[in-house]
Amino acid sequence: MKNSYQRVLTVQDISCVGQCSLTVALPILSACGIETCILPTALLSNHTAKGFHGFTCLDLTKELPAIFSQWKKEGILFDAIYTGYLGSVPQIGLLLEALPSLLKENAPLIVDPAMADYGALYPAFDQSYVEEMKKLCARADYLLPNLTEACLLADVPYREGMGEGEIEGLIEKLSERYFATVVLKGIPLGDELGILAVKGGKKLASYRHRRLPQNLHGTGDIFASAFSGALIKTGDLSRSIRTAADFTVKSMENTLSDPSHWYGAKFETALSELTQKF
Ligand code: PXL
């Protein structure tokens, strides 16, 4: 995988305003030196998290089969696929069906389940989305949940203040249920946050980083995009976790002094440093 020019497909929504999903993934993957093709799953006026007072959403599910069939005719294949916020339950099935005709041999599928945070599902989703997302996760090579999503995927009730041992048990369970290397972010460790990568119950990598005093929307997308870029570029799991975590923390540090910037993180301010890593 190393050093050659590669093409990734990222599948997620366009939130026109709000620094998340495709407006984050496209610049970050490009900054890593990877050709980035996009498949927009829905078109939203802005993201659906608190702060905005509503949102518009055009679901693009109907367009997907036509796009897949056109790409198939052209023989278009990808070196990796990275999925995030999808627009509907049927989209997950359509994507699963199309995967074999989209991915090159041994090309990784990286799945950020992007459906919940802080103990709750995002407003557009319900349990049927979780059940369908489990099927996509079962096909993933890398799975990037936050703690809430990890609980949903493992059928474990989410609880505020889960301890380190409890979380390690959760990620082991998740990695035994799904084939993927599971990379769990946001493990509370006092003044720091931990990241743990486990496959088949076996710990592969871990990292700790500064815990900022405030959460910011879209940081999961920033982490997943930088992780995908680093992994596609280097194939090195530990390095990819470190690169993605440091980039996310830097983006947050560069944002928190500006209270008017409540809707996302200023990741653009750290992009040139990211580019220099490759
Ligand atoms: O950051 C995840 C995300 C992506 N896209 C949309 C969202 C969210 C989280 O709320 O609302 C539309």
Side-chain angles (χ1 to χ4, degrees):
M1 275 213 294
K2 281 175 207 163
N3 291 332
S4 58
Y5 188 72
Q6 296 187 81
R7 176 158 73 181
V8 63
L9 172 66
T10 182
V11 187
Q12 41 192 320
D13 73 281
I14 297 180
S15 285
C16 300
V17 173
Q19 283 177 314
C20 67
S21 39
L22 280 183
T23 63
V24 165
L26 183 51
I28 292 176
L29 289 161
S30 298
C32 293
I34 301 162
E35 177 186 346
T36 307
C37 302
I38 59 166
L39 181 55
T41 58
L43 175 66
L44 290 96
S45 52
N46 46 267
H47 63 61
T48 65
K50 275 203 292 273
F52 294 116
H53 303 101
F55 59 91
T56 69
C57 179
L58 174 67
D59 175 25
L60 297 174
T61 305
K62 276 210 315 242
E63 197 59 20
L64 259 55
I67 293 176
F68 290 143
S69 133
Q70 166 61 17
W71 285 350
K72 199 169 177 179
K73 274 193 228 153
E74 302 286 349
I76 292 170
L77 294 170
F78 300 96
D79 297 293
I81 295 183
Y82 150 43
T83 71
Y85 187 108
L86 304 178
S88 70
V89 171
Q91 251 177 36
I92 301 177
L94 289 172
L95 186 58
L96 270 168
E97 220 178 276
L99 280 177
S101 67
L102 296 173
L103 280 167
K104 285 187 187 165
E105 211 181 319
N106 297 323
L109 172 66
I110 304 165
V111 175
D112 176 351
M115 59 184 171
D117 213 350
Y118 313 113
L121 279 167
Y122 294 149
F125 302 139
D126 60 18
Q127 190 59 30
S128 66
Y129 188 87
V130 178
E131 294 310 315
E132 203 64 11
M133 180 54 75
K134 286 178 181 170
K135 297 180 192 163
L136 185 63
C137 293
R139 173 63 186 76
D141 297 288
Y142 294 88
L143 189 51
L144 311 176
N146 58 35
L147 204 45
T148 306
E149 291 157 349
C151 287
L152 287 167
L153 293 171
D155 293 306
V156 167
Y158 172 87
R159 206 169 45 71
E160 199 64 44
M162 285 167 89
E164 198 183 332
E166 203 177 348
I167 293 172
E168 281 187 13
L170 167 69
I171 185 173
E172 270 167 34
K173 181 171 176 186
L174 204 57
S175 80
E176 278 158 4
R177 178 179 286 196
Y178 298 89
F179 158 81
T181 297
V182 182
V183 179
L184 183 67
K185 324 146 266 177
I187 304 171
L189 304 168
D191 288 348
E192 294 184 311
L193 288 177
I195 302 173
L196 193 55
V198 178
K199 184 175 166 76
K202 190 167 161 260
K203 183 170 150 184
L204 296 183
S206 65
Y207 191 57
R208 299 167 82 107
H209 61 85
R210 189 178 160 213
R211 180 181 202 162
L212 286 124
Q214 208 184 306
N215 295 315
L216 278 171
H217 186 267
T219 50
D221 297 349
I222 293 174
F223 178 89
S225 302
F227 173 84
S228 300
L231 188 79
I232 293 162
K233 220 42 204 171
T234 70
D236 182 330
L237 177 67
S238 296
R239 182 174 162 194
S240 303
I241 290 173
R242 216 168 45 238
T243 300
D246 293 348
F247 176 65
T248 307
V249 168
K250 192 77 201 245
S251 304
M252 293 177 77
E253 283 170 348
N254 293 349
T255 309
L256 288 178
S257 58
D258 178 0
S260 73
H261 202 97
W262 54 268
Y263 50 84
K266 297 179 179 177
F267 69 91
E268 302 86 352
T269 59
L271 270 185
S272 61
E273 273 173 60
L274 182 66
T275 300
Q276 281 161 26
K277 300 240 153 113
F278 305 109

